[in-house]
Amino acid sequence: MYHKSVTYLLQLTKDEINEFLNSFDTVLTDCDGVLWLNNNVIDKANLVMNRFRELGKKVFFITNNSSKSREEYAIKCKELNFKCDKEEIISSAYLAADYLKNCGFNKKVYIVGSTGITQELDNVGIKHTDVGPDVHCTTVPKLIEGIKLDQEIGAVIVGFDEHISFPKILKASSYLNNPDCLFVATNTDEQFPLNSEFIIPGTGTMVAAVQTCAGRKPHVVGKPNTYICEALVKEHNINPKRTLMIGDRCNTDILLGTRCGFQTLLVLTGVTTLNDVMEWKQSDSQDEQDLLPDVYLDKLGDLLPFLK
Amino acid sequence: MYHKSVTYLLQLTKDEINEFLNSFDTVLTDCDGVLWLNNNVIDKANLVMNRFRELGKKVFFITNNSSKSREEYAIKCKELNFKCDKEEIISSAYLAADYLKNCGFNKKVYIVGSTGITQELDNVGIKHTDVGPDVHCTTVPKLIEGIKLDQEIGAVIVGFDEHISFPKILKASSYLNNPDCLFVATNTDEQFPLNSEFIIPGTGTMVAAVQTCAGRKPHVVGKPNTYICEALVKEHNINPKRTLMIGDRCNTDILLGTRCGFQTLLVLTGVTTLNDVMEWKQSDSQDEQDLLPDVYLDKLGDLLPFLK
């Protein structure tokens, strides 16, 4: 079978690198692991992103993290000296609200998630339940006795929810028992990347719980689902062939790029290692070939000298 | 392909029914949906089970419910007039403890579950963590700061836990990040059978959450996993060919029987309907053929006239 080539960008000549930089006029970038780690900019990533804008390229910040709204992300970007408008933030909470709006949804949403989702639903005028703790502190029969299902609910959104609980899974699944109830997940990342002895549950964990109990699969709006591409083409008129997707995680960022026909750049400042890439490169599995980026760099800041 | 025949037992002649009743000397029966619903005996099921014992057959009560210990089940059986010794109860909590004992396990168990599991571990002298609520009431960074992983933990058991929470999933997954840590699930039933507007999360929901976050699959001891058969052959010397498995749920009870080479009897007082059976019967999928019982009855009590 065809084995895709993966190029280390700095091995190219200056002319070839210029050709690459002129081959796209839209830049999509993942955030955590590419631009910053927690609250620290990864070496000169902000200067590179700002330079792309100055060169007239459209720039979008794409994140599967559903816990912040676009407004909150725009504030974080500004604090870290990334030039950025709210409209350039594409978060999975925003996509979930955008998806329901485009469905013509006019009922109420039951949320397993946080204020990132409530704020985005408020922005598009969709009603929703409250978020926060919903703790089980009685017996199961008494719990059920105390629940009154809201007949107005017509969709369940599952995002990151550190207050995931038995009552929440029970309510979400009971609403989803109605086949007309829409089921949307912000993303399915299993865990948060963290170099420590702790494994932090990601949204995929909450989605797996609700999906298993409800016996239904959600419509996933976050990476690597191609809904993002549909939304960007429709609302911002981007040309996928002249779009670069930058990421640190091949099974979300780069796979999204492969599926959408974007060009893809992997940076090695996050989850995926060069060893991972070299292993997939040898593989005869199409699924693993689809994880391969076109080009890679140690870090995004390495592009800066070529953008002057 | 070969389509299995499924016989309605009462269509047979009296002699054929007698032949069937003489073809097994061990009876394994599911509990909920076969013997009782909540705290009500299903029409004469206790008289049939007691009569099997009087006829000299070995009897075992097999349940995936991990929330009660064997002692507690034996008490429930007696209250509902089923003759029964503790040793005849095979619950998934007992099987989980039995499995670790047979592994020569001598470390400590982190439990996502309830007192059914703690009691069974106590019975075999295996140390374990406490069960009950473990609520997340701070931020994620502060939560992590406050956790000290117990170096003595060498296994995680996941059973039914109505206090499933973010801290529990985080801790279980962090322990499981050590590949030497054993991972045992009592069962994977997705939801509780209940004729109501509510969908009650079953153990499969808790298992899906931990499994997704940990990126590992558990060793499942409950039905339809064949570990039960190994345990019964080893500890009670049963002969699979002369064993009858009675159940109301084909994807656990009857599938277990098929996999273990037991004879199988479906009763229609629980989850699986005759329509389900007829659909699978037409199917060319081996997976669906494996769900088919040898014989079926409307209810277990229908056997009583033939046992006099």
Side-chain angles (χ1 to χ4, degrees):
Chain A
M1 71 174 283
Y2 169 73
H3 283 237
K4 181 172 169 172
S5 71
V6 178
T7 305
Y8 178 47
L9 202 54
L10 298 189
Q11 278 193 324
L12 299 182
T13 65
K14 209 177 164 183
D15 281 352
E16 287 170 326
I17 294 177
N18 269 329
E19 198 183 321
F20 167 72
L21 292 169
N22 289 326
S23 70
F24 53 87
D25 36 42
T26 300
V27 179
L28 313 180
T29 182
D30 176 49
C31 300
D32 285 286
V34 175
L35 306 183
W36 58 66
L37 286 171
N38 294 317
N39 283 312
N40 304 306
V41 176
I42 296 174
D43 187 31
K44 296 187 185 117
N46 47 3
L47 302 183
V48 169
M49 290 308 296
N50 293 346
R51 189 74 190 119
F52 278 144
R53 284 170 64 106
E54 286 162 17
L55 291 169
K57 299 186 193 294
K58 287 182 194 171
V59 166
F60 296 95
F61 300 79
I62 317 272
T63 174
N64 270 359
N65 191 322
S66 64
S67 57
K68 285 197 181 84
S69 66
R70 293 205 290 172
E71 284 83 353
E72 291 169 309
Y73 265 107
I75 292 168
K76 176 163 186 176
C77 282
K78 269 166 206 161
E79 283 172 358
L80 297 179
N81 293 315
F82 288 89
K83 285 178 191 155
C84 169
D85 296 327
K86 177 189 138 187
E87 287 69 28
E88 291 165 334
I89 308 281
I90 312 287
S91 73
S92 61
Y94 161 74
L95 287 169
D98 184 67
Y99 174 76
L100 288 182
K101 188 189 76 180
N102 286 334
C103 290
F105 183 79
N106 59 8
K107 298 186 82 181
K108 189 173 168 184
V109 179
Y110 180 79
I111 302 176
V112 178
S114 69
T115 53
I117 298 169
T118 60
Q119 290 178 37
E120 294 295 347
L121 288 173
D122 289 341
N123 286 345
V124 293
I126 292 178
K127 284 171 290 184
H128 55 78
T129 54
D130 291 336
V131 294
D134 182 0
V135 177
H136 176 48
C137 44
T138 175
T139 62
V140 175
K142 280 195 181 154
L143 170 70
I144 298 170
E145 228 177 85
I147 297 174
K148 202 177 149 17
L149 293 178
D150 183 342
Q151 297 306 316
E152 230 198 317
I153 300 286
V156 170
I157 295 181
V158 180
F160 178 73
D161 189 343
E162 61 199 72
H163 298 291
I164 185 77
S165 68
F166 190 77
K168 288 191 181 192
I169 301 168
L170 188 160
K171 289 173 192 171
S173 304
S174 299
Y175 288 123
L176 290 169
N177 200 29
N178 175 354
D180 292 333
C181 184
L182 300 174
F183 184 13
V184 180
T186 58
N187 62 300
T188 55
D189 302 31
E190 293 86 359
Q191 32 174 265
F192 279 91
L194 198 73
N195 292 320
S196 91
E197 59 180 338
F198 296 106
I199 303 290
I200 312 297
T203 306
T205 297
M206 291 97 206
V207 173
V210 174
Q211 167 177 324
T212 300
C213 184
R216 284 178 59 177
K217 291 202 169 174
H219 180 80
V220 184
V221 292
K223 299 174 284 187
N225 189 289
T226 57
Y227 180 72
I228 292 174
C229 184
E230 286 171 47
L232 284 170
V233 168
K234 193 172 157 194
E235 286 158 35
H236 297 278
N237 196 28
I238 72 162
N239 175 354
K241 284 191 182 160
R242 291 193 55 82
T243 296
L244 177 70
M245 175 75 213
I246 308 170
D248 70 304
R249 192 164 170 156
C250 286
N251 67 354
T252 51
D253 304 322
I254 303 304
L255 182 56
L256 172 73
T258 303
R259 288 177 173 174
C260 297
F262 302 150
Q263 300 183 61
T264 51
L265 164 60
L266 173 72
V267 293
L268 300 171
T269 43
V271 173
T272 299
T273 66
L274 194 54
N275 268 346
D276 296 332
V277 172
M278 292 308 153
E279 238 173 67
W280 299 326
K281 208 169 157 346
Q282 306 303 321
S283 164
D284 284 336
S285 143
Q286 187 62 50
D287 286 350
E288 298 197 343
Q289 289 286 315
D290 286 349
L291 299 176
L292 293 174
D294 299 314
V295 293
Y296 71 92
L297 279 175
D298 294 321
K299 56 182 193 297
L300 189 55
D302 289 346
L303 272 186
L304 196 60
F306 304 94
L307 292 167
K308 295 261 151 113
Chain B
M1 71 174 283
Y2 170 73
H3 283 236
K4 181 171 170 174
S5 71
V6 178
T7 306
Y8 178 48
L9 202 53
L10 297 190
Q11 279 193 325
L12 299 181
T13 65
K14 212 178 159 180
D15 281 354
E16 287 169 326
I17 294 176
N18 269 328
E19 198 182 320
F20 167 73
L21 292 169
N22 289 327
S23 69
F24 53 87
D25 36 43
T26 300
V27 178
L28 313 181
T29 182
D30 176 50
C31 300
D32 285 285
V34 175
L35 306 182
W36 58 67
L37 285 171
N38 295 319
N39 282 314
N40 304 305
V41 175
I42 296 173
D43 187 33
K44 298 186 183 114
N46 48 3
L47 303 183
V48 170
M49 291 308 297
N50 293 346
R51 188 75 190 118
F52 278 143
R53 284 171 65 107
E54 286 162 17
L55 291 169
K57 299 186 192 295
K58 289 182 192 171
V59 166
F60 296 95
F61 300 80
I62 317 271
T63 175
N64 270 358
N65 190 323
S66 64
S67 57
K68 286 198 179 85
S69 67
R70 293 205 290 174
E71 285 81 353
E72 290 169 310
Y73 266 106
I75 292 168
K76 176 165 186 173
C77 282
K78 268 167 208 161
E79 282 172 357
L80 297 179
N81 294 314
F82 289 88
K83 286 179 189 155
C84 170
D85 297 327
K86 176 188 139 187
E87 287 69 28
E88 291 165 333
I89 309 280
I90 312 287
S91 73
S92 60
Y94 161 74
L95 287 169
D98 184 68
Y99 173 77
L100 288 182
K101 189 189 74 182
N102 286 334
C103 289
F105 183 79
N106 59 8
K107 299 187 80 179
K108 188 173 169 184
V109 180
Y110 180 79
I111 302 177
V112 178
S114 69
T115 54
I117 298 169
T118 60
Q119 289 178 38
E120 293 296 347
L121 287 173
D122 289 342
N123 286 346
V124 293
I126 292 179
K127 284 171 290 183
H128 54 79
T129 54
D130 292 336
V131 293
D134 182 359
V135 176
H136 176 48
C137 44
T138 175
T139 62
V140 174
K142 279 195 181 152
L143 170 71
I144 297 170
E145 228 178 85
I147 297 174
K148 203 177 148 19
L149 293 178
D150 183 342
Q151 298 305 318
E152 229 197 318
I153 299 288
V156 170
I157 295 181
V158 180
F160 179 73
D161 189 343
E162 62 200 71
H163 298 292
I164 183 78
S165 67
F166 189 79
K168 286 191 181 189
I169 301 168
L170 188 160
K171 289 173 192 170
S173 304
S174 299
Y175 288 122
L176 290 169
N177 200 30
N178 176 353
D180 292 334
C181 182
L182 299 174
F183 184 14
V184 181
T186 58
N187 62 302
T188 55
D189 302 30
E190 293 87 358
Q191 33 174 265
F192 278 92
L194 198 72
N195 291 322
S196 90
E197 57 179 340
F198 295 106
I199 303 291
I200 312 298
T203 306
T205 297
M206 292 96 206
V207 173
V210 174
Q211 168 177 322
T212 300
C213 185
R216 284 179 58 179
K217 290 201 171 178
H219 180 79
V220 184
V221 291
K223 298 174 284 186
N225 191 289
T226 57
Y227 180 71
I228 293 174
C229 184
E230 287 170 47
L232 284 170
V233 168
K234 191 172 160 195
E235 286 158 37
H236 297 278
N237 197 28
I238 72 162
N239 175 354
K241 283 190 185 162
R242 291 193 55 80
T243 296
L244 177 69
M245 173 77 212
I246 308 171
D248 71 304
R249 191 165 171 155
C250 286
N251 68 352
T252 50
D253 305 321
I254 303 303
L255 182 57
L256 172 73
T258 303
R259 287 178 174 173
C260 296
F262 301 149
Q263 300 182 61
T264 51
L265 164 60
L266 173 71
V267 293
L268 300 171
T269 43
V271 173
T272 299
T273 66
L274 194 54
N275 269 346
D276 295 333
V277 172
M278 292 309 152
E279 237 172 69
W280 298 326
K281 209 171 158 339
Q282 304 305 321
S283 164
D284 283 339
S285 143
Q286 187 62 51
D287 286 349
E288 298 196 344
Q289 290 286 314
D290 286 350
L291 300 176
L292 293 174
D294 298 317
V295 293
Y296 71 93
L297 279 175
D298 293 320
K299 55 183 195 292
L300 189 56
D302 288 346
L303 273 184
L304 195 61
F306 305 93
L307 291 166
K308 295 264 152 112

